[in-house]
Amino acid sequence: MSRLESSPYIRNEEYLAEPLFKVHDVLPPAHLGSPLNDEFALELPSQDTAYGELVPDNFFERVNRAWFQHRPERQLWSYDMRRVAQQILPFLWLGPISSALDREFLQREGITLLLAVPFSNHSRPTGRRVADELGIETDSVTLADGQNYIYQYLRAVRRINDHLFLHSTPTHMPKILVFCETGSDRSAAVVVAYIMAMYGLDWLSARWAVSHRRLCVAIGEQIRQSLISFESIVAAKRDVAKAGVNSFGNNARKRGIDATGDDADVDMMDGNTITPFTPRPAPFIDRVL
């Protein structure tokens, strides 16, 4: 508009006429197979992949790797399915808070952990009352605006894996329900982050893997950017672990996650150093007629 001679305003500085980040259509990545002929599959990377702080020591000596091999059957999506949870992995479900309050569902599927993802520290939909009645564990990770999402993703990944490690037996597979109010945004982001961390997928592939099962997933721009940053963080942690650097020992491992959340000089979104705020000129000024 400011480029038109008839506009009452003129540019005061250069700007882009298009979004900095374009929203791409989420298309099925070829390396996950085609959902049209039931070839879609999620499989863990090779056994020599180092997970570092993402899993407890000797994780796969107790947790069956076969539980991570997922070949879901196709399902026809209907609008009402957004009100119930969907099974993303054999041990991992994603849904709205109503699923966490559904006693019949929790008992039928054998849910052993409710992981809530509230949108603020003052909103914690844990489903604790129902969980206490059924003997189910509860926990939460908060994705509040302005908070360090990366730290929360790492904490959620480790919390899920700790639960699997502590409660797995040769004949028993623990099951986790990750949920928020709608089961479509913040809790979906946590599940996307988990799949990125464990399967080494980029954020778009992981998001599509979740959308393949829960079509109503709708992740906002701020959280989308945090998942893009998380992709780089996880890749870096894997490279360090593979190199054999002793950064993820018992003490250093805890520091590895906590440091992501405690460093005051880390930006809440992408880990870049915060620079002091300096006022910027107004993008437009009145045209002198």
Side-chain angles (χ1 to χ4, degrees):
M1 183 179 69
S2 63
R3 301 175 186 272
L4 302 177
E5 293 184 0
S6 58
S7 172
Y9 309 105
I10 59 175
R11 288 180 297 168
N12 196 30
E13 61 179 3
E14 291 297 325
Y15 66 91
L16 296 175
E18 60 183 11
L20 181 59
F21 299 101
K22 295 182 179 180
V23 179
H24 300 280
D25 292 333
V26 181
L27 299 176
H31 60 86
L32 293 181
S34 171
L36 300 180
N37 53 11
D38 292 330
E39 291 181 354
F40 175 85
L42 282 178
E43 296 183 356
L44 286 178
S46 59
Q47 294 191 21
D48 60 358
T49 299
Y51 289 91
E53 71 190 67
L54 301 175
V55 302
D57 292 332
N58 305 316
F59 180 72
F60 287 112
E61 292 181 10
R62 170 171 286 186
V63 177
N64 193 337
R65 289 182 63 92
W67 296 350
F68 287 84
Q69 297 175 358
H70 193 37
R71 296 178 178 273
E73 297 180 358
R74 283 181 295 169
Q75 61 179 5
L76 296 177
W77 180 264
S78 64
Y79 183 76
D80 289 341
M81 292 175 68
R82 66 188 177 89
R83 300 190 178 96
V84 298
Q86 279 75 45
Q87 186 181 31
I88 309 301
L89 297 172
F91 56 85
L92 191 62
W93 293 75
L94 171 64
I97 187 174
S98 57
S99 297
L101 304 176
D102 187 342
R103 289 175 175 80
E104 182 181 349
F105 161 74
L106 297 175
Q107 291 179 308
R108 181 180 69 249
E109 300 301 338
I111 301 298
T112 55
L113 170 65
L114 297 181
L115 185 59
V117 189
F119 62 85
S120 76
N121 291 323
H122 305 290
S123 174
R124 296 185 177 276
T126 62
R128 184 167 296 169
R129 179 179 299 178
V130 174
D132 288 344
E133 293 176 3
L134 300 178
I136 298 174
E137 290 186 22
T138 61
D139 204 343
S140 66
V141 291
T142 303
L143 295 186
D145 292 340
Q147 204 169 39
N148 190 336
Y149 291 170
I150 303 300
Y151 168 70
Q152 298 297 332
Y153 293 147
L154 290 171
R155 181 176 176 273
V157 171
R158 185 56 191 257
R159 181 65 177 91
I160 291 171
N161 286 333
D162 281 345
H163 184 78
L164 290 173
F165 183 77
L166 291 174
H167 298 281
S168 293
T169 70
T171 58
H172 174 67
M173 177 174 61
K175 294 185 179 180
I176 299 101
L177 169 64
V178 183
F179 69 97
C180 62
E181 284 77 5
T182 65
S184 301
D185 47 11
R186 296 173 190 271
S187 58
V190 166
V191 175
V192 169
Y194 183 81
I195 290 177
M196 291 169 62
M198 297 305 294
Y199 293 85
L201 297 179
D202 59 84
W203 94 270
L204 271 177
S205 297
R207 183 248 164 101
W208 192 87
V210 175
S211 299
H212 176 71
R213 299 296 296 161
R214 185 167 175 81
L215 191 61
C216 61
V217 167
I219 296 175
E221 179 64 17
Q222 186 179 32
I223 295 182
R224 186 179 80 93
Q225 290 301 318
S226 72
L227 289 170
I228 293 174
S229 297
F230 185 67
E231 180 181 329
S232 301
I233 295 294
V234 169
K237 289 181 179 295
R238 283 178 176 272
D239 289 342
V240 171
K242 286 180 181 179
V245 178
N246 189 22
S247 298
F248 304 120
N250 290 335
N251 294 331
R253 175 175 298 183
K254 184 176 186 301
R255 171 62 185 164
I257 295 179
D258 290 349
T260 313
D262 295 340
D263 190 344
D265 293 328
V266 174
D267 186 271
M268 294 305 179
M269 282 297 297
D270 58 11
N272 294 329
T273 301
I274 296 176
T275 55
F277 173 76
T278 55
R280 294 178 60 86
F284 304 100
I285 58 176
D286 293 336
R287 185 187 296 274
V288 178
L289 302 177

